[in-house]
Structure formats: C-alpha cells, structure tokens
Amino acid sequence: MSRFFIVLGIIYLIGAFYGFQAFRTLVKNPYLQIVYGIVFIAVLANVYLQFSHFDRSHGMTHKMGFAVGLFLAFMALGFSAGIFMLIEDVVRVFTWIFGKAFQSGEAASSGLPSRRRFMSQIAIGVAAVPFLSLLYGMYKGKYDYQVLKHTLEFDDLPDAFDGYTITQISDIHSGSFDDKEKVAYAVDLINKQESDVILFTGDLVNNVASEMHTWKDTFSKLNAKDGVYSVLGNHDYGDYADWPSEEAKKANLDELKQIQKDMGFNLLLNESRFLEKEGQRLALVGVENWGEGGFKKAGDLEKAIENIDKNDFKILMSHDPSHWQYQVVDHPYHYHLTLSGHTHGMQFGVEIPGWLKWSPVKYRYKYWAGVYEKAGQFINVNRGLGFIGYPGRVGIWPEVTVIKLKKKSKEIV
C-alpha cells in the first residue's frame, strides 16, 4: 500500500472520529454507536481491499468504483460533521482556560464544558447534505443526461452553413459504465438532436481498448447527416495501464483506432477534413491529445492544418482545453470554434444558470465547462458523457452539447 493511501486512510479516520463526537452526543444507544464505528471502518477496509487487488492492465473495476464512491461519501460525512465539532472543541477549551484564569472556587476547578446538543444537530444536518448528494450522484446523477444548447454567431461563417448544427460529446469512459439501458438512452438522445454532424472529443476508454467491446454495438448507432468525427484523449493511449511491452501497448492503441473505425467514427489524428455544402466549406481540424500539467502532448497543430487555408472557417477538436489556452488562441490562424472536454467539471460542483458556476476544478483549469470567448474565438468545454474515479456526478451532470452556427447579421447604419 502506497504512502499516499496510508495518509489518506489516517485523514479519513480523523474525520470519522470527530464526526463520531456529534453522533454520540445525539445517539446515546451504545450499540448504534458501535455500528457507526463498524460501518466507517468497513468502508475504509473495502477500499483498501479493492486497491490491493488493483490490476493496472485492466483499470478500475465497478467494485473498485463503488468502493471509492462510498469512501468519498463517508469521508464527506465525517469531515463535514467533524469541522463543527472541532470548532466547538476550540470554544470549549478557551472557555475552560478563561474560567481557570478569571474565575475562582468551584467554577475554576470544573472540567471542560460539555458538548451542546444543538451544535451536534447542526453538524449532522449539514454533513448529511454532501453525504446524501454523493450517494445520489452514484445512484442517479451519473446518468442524468443534460442537453445544453448554444447559438454562436460569426461574421465570416459561409452562408451555406448559417444554421448548421453540431452535437458534441466527450469523455465516454466506457470502462466505467454499468447500465446498458441508460447508455443506450444517451445514444438515442444524441441522435434525437438531429444535428448535421456529431463530434466526439476524446477519452473513449479509461485504460484499455477492450473496455469498448461491451459498448461497441451501442455507440455504432450514432449517426448524423455529415458523419461522426473523433479525436483521441489522454486516456485513449493506454498510458495508465501496465503493459508487458511497447508492442502490446501499441497493439492496444491500434485496436482502439480500429474500434472507432468499425463504429463509423472518422478518427482525426493530427489531420483535417472539409465539410462541404452548396459549394462552400468548413475546415474540421482534429489534433491528438495536447495537455499542460503533465498530460500527453501528442497533438501537432501545424501538421493538422497542412492542407487548409488560413482564411477557411475552422472548427478545431482538441481534447484538453489547456491546448486552446496555450497554443491555439494566439496562433497565427484564427480558430473560430474549438471543442474540448477532459475536465468533467470534476463531476462535482454547483451550477445555477445565470447566477453561479463553480467546481473545484476551476482552480486547475481556467476554461473548465461551457462556452468561453477570447479574441473573437470560441471554445466549448463539454462536461463529459461518462465518469471516472468517483462513480457518479453531483451538480455537474453528463452533457450532450448542441451548437448552432449562425451568420452574424450586419447592422444597417
């Protein structure tokens, strides 16, 4: 067991201990108190057991995902309640010190003030929110698909493409799926948008190509008038699995590429295609993964644009939004629209349209969910269709994006 997991376990137990202070203040039955302790220890033991049998060549199993989800939920419960108990302990200690210093007689000789029941009630009530939310995210949130629609206007959009629609999906992470009916519903939902083209921006699997064997027929049903196009994400290269040889790793990537071809996906590997309509065209550019912060940099934008003209209207597919930030937005070519994914919105956050959009991932990625504009260029960061790690979603729901391209009308002066 790595030092990281040992430290994480210690932190978990500290949270469980402090949370227990609130629980035992409210629940006096000793048997229920014992059950509390047993459940917390069992959740920790289960996640350790799952990771002790972790095979990187196969990736995270559904049992492991469930163990991680429960671990996070119970950690949130313990820590959320524990914070209130810690604050109360600080107050109790200062009250006791004050009594020792400035009071006399029986008041000065008394021990620490007892815990207040109402503070424990608040602690448990507040802690129940993240705990139940994380459980809900595992049970329902991970398949609570949302269709988000955007209309983007451009001065130089070819007239023939005025009203052209794009459905973007990203981050399928097929190895995490556990409900064929729900995934089939997602594919049907995508097709019902009846967009002109479907663009998939990477991470078909978690670790290995074989994850798609179960889902190949399902995703083969994706269809659009102008086809389905895709690029690779950081998880698609097999970098997070153990391979007996480089040949085996290459064979895995070759299989993944073949699977996409068999499903009818047009995989763009640092290359471009033209979408043509009424004698006019859009340049569709697809780069391999390019990401800051230690992620794979296989993307070659210069190679991808070799056969397009600087003045073409360009749609760029690039899995990691940091690519847009560091290489695309200041490129000599003007990339009208970039489509990315990768962040998942961390699968956790709070979004109230027009009021609030927050997730911890914003402290890692400047552009992490939704549409952004800079220098007359747009990027849409899709929140992802699937999930990985924590087997759920809370507040940041799985996303199907529909983007309508519009010709900006010229104002008559």
Side-chain angles (χ1 to χ4, degrees):
M1 189 66 65
S2 71
R3 183 177 300 177
F4 170 78
F5 286 108
I6 293 174
V7 172
L8 193 62
I10 293 172
I11 294 172
Y12 172 89
L13 290 174
I14 291 172
F17 171 78
Y18 258 100
F20 178 69
Q21 306 311 307
F23 184 81
R24 74 173 183 175
T25 301
L26 297 177
V27 180
K28 301 301 183 182
N29 188 312
Y31 295 106
L32 292 179
Q33 293 177 5
I34 292 172
V35 169
Y36 175 100
I38 291 174
V39 170
F40 267 87
I41 292 173
V43 168
L44 178 61
N46 184 39
V47 79
Y48 274 178
L49 177 65
Q50 294 300 325
F51 274 93
S52 68
H53 293 89
F54 180 44
D55 184 352
R56 285 177 57 89
S57 64
H58 292 91
M60 182 175 286
T61 64
H62 294 147
K63 286 184 179 180
M64 182 179 294
F66 183 73
V68 169
L70 285 181
F71 175 81
L72 293 174
F74 276 88
M75 176 177 271
L77 177 65
F79 264 91
S80 298
I83 287 172
F84 286 88
M85 295 297 97
L86 179 60
I87 293 172
E88 186 180 31
D89 278 352
V90 172
V91 173
R92 291 168 66 212
V93 169
F94 273 102
T95 301
W96 179 74
I97 293 174
F98 180 84
K100 284 287 188 181
F102 298 103
Q103 296 178 357
S104 59
E106 184 177 339
S109 61
S110 61
L112 285 173
S114 61
R115 293 190 182 277
R116 292 168 292 181
R117 183 177 178 83
F118 85 92
M119 182 60 77
S120 295
Q121 290 174 328
I122 293 174
I124 294 297
V126 171
V129 175
F131 176 69
L132 295 176
S133 295
L134 287 166
L135 293 181
Y136 173 85
M138 294 168 61
Y139 171 69
K140 190 174 188 300
K142 62 186 178 183
Y143 293 124
D144 190 8
Y145 301 109
Q146 308 290 308
V147 178
L148 303 184
K149 297 186 177 184
H150 307 285
T151 298
L152 303 180
E153 295 186 337
F154 303 89
D155 290 317
D156 53 350
L157 178 70
D159 292 337
F161 288 89
D162 187 18
Y164 193 81
T165 55
I166 299 165
T167 288
Q168 181 199 0
I169 56 174
S170 192
D171 298 87
I172 289 173
H173 288 286
S174 57
S176 299
F177 287 144
D178 55 10
D179 191 321
K180 293 212 71 169
E181 186 175 317
K182 294 291 187 182
V183 177
Y185 168 80
V187 170
D188 185 54
L189 182 65
I190 294 164
N191 286 335
K192 282 183 176 179
Q193 305 312 308
E194 298 183 341
S195 291
D196 294 292
V197 69
I198 295 173
L199 304 180
F200 169 61
T201 45
D203 275 2
L204 187 64
V205 298
N206 294 338
N207 294 287
V208 295
S210 59
E211 294 170 24
M212 271 304 294
H213 292 174
T214 304
W215 308 103
K216 184 176 174 181
D217 290 342
T218 303
F219 283 95
S220 295
K221 293 180 173 64
L222 286 174
N223 67 84
K225 180 171 62 69
D226 289 340
V228 181
Y229 292 85
S230 62
V231 293
L232 297 177
N234 56 298
H235 281 265
D236 293 324
Y237 295 89
D239 289 343
Y240 309 126
D242 286 332
W243 301 100
S245 65
E246 281 301 313
E247 290 75 15
K249 183 179 180 181
K250 181 181 180 301
N252 175 76
L253 182 57
D254 289 341
E255 181 186 359
L256 186 76
K257 294 175 182 178
Q258 185 62 46
I259 286 173
Q260 297 211 31
K261 183 178 179 180
D262 293 343
M263 293 192 304
F265 287 22
N266 298 286
L267 180 61
L268 301 181
L269 301 168
N270 295 324
E271 54 190 319
S272 59
R273 298 285 187 274
F274 289 108
L275 303 175
E276 298 185 354
K277 188 176 182 180
E278 299 174 13
Q280 297 180 318
R281 69 184 191 179
L282 300 182
L284 182 61
V285 183
V287 295
E288 295 194 48
N289 192 80
W290 193 102
E292 275 291 329
F295 289 102
K296 194 177 194 73
K297 289 183 170 68
D300 188 337
L301 188 56
E302 301 307 318
K303 180 181 177 183
I305 61 174
E306 284 178 348
N307 70 327
I308 70 172
D309 187 81
K310 183 177 182 179
N311 296 318
D312 281 321
F313 188 96
K314 292 173 284 298
I315 299 173
L316 172 65
M317 300 168 65
S318 181
H319 177 70
D320 192 318
S322 65
H323 188 213
W324 189 72
Q325 179 182 354
Y326 290 103
Q327 285 201 343
V328 176
V329 78
D330 294 322
H331 191 274
Y333 278 26
H334 183 88
Y335 294 89
H336 300 76
L337 174 61
T338 297
L339 302 176
S340 298
H342 181 62
T343 72
H344 301 206
M346 205 173 172
Q347 298 167 211
F348 175 85
V350 179
E351 291 195 85
I352 304 174
W355 290 87
L356 176 65
K357 185 173 79 172
W358 178 88
S359 167
V361 79
K362 69 174 292 184
Y363 304 112
R364 172 65 177 83
Y365 288 95
K366 184 176 182 179
Y367 307 103
W368 60 274
V371 175
Y372 304 86
E373 186 270 337
K374 186 175 181 181
Q377 301 170 89
F378 291 94
I379 183 173
N380 181 67
V381 185
N382 183 285
R383 295 160 180 81
L385 194 74
F387 49 91
I388 190 173
Y390 164 61
R393 285 178 176 265
V394 178
I396 305 292
W397 313 116
E399 175 182 345
V400 176
T401 314
V402 179
I403 298 174
K404 178 182 285 188
L405 307 180
K406 290 293 293 181
K407 181 88 169 186
K408 187 178 291 186
S409 60
K410 295 182 179 179
E411 297 182 5
I412 301 176
V413 181

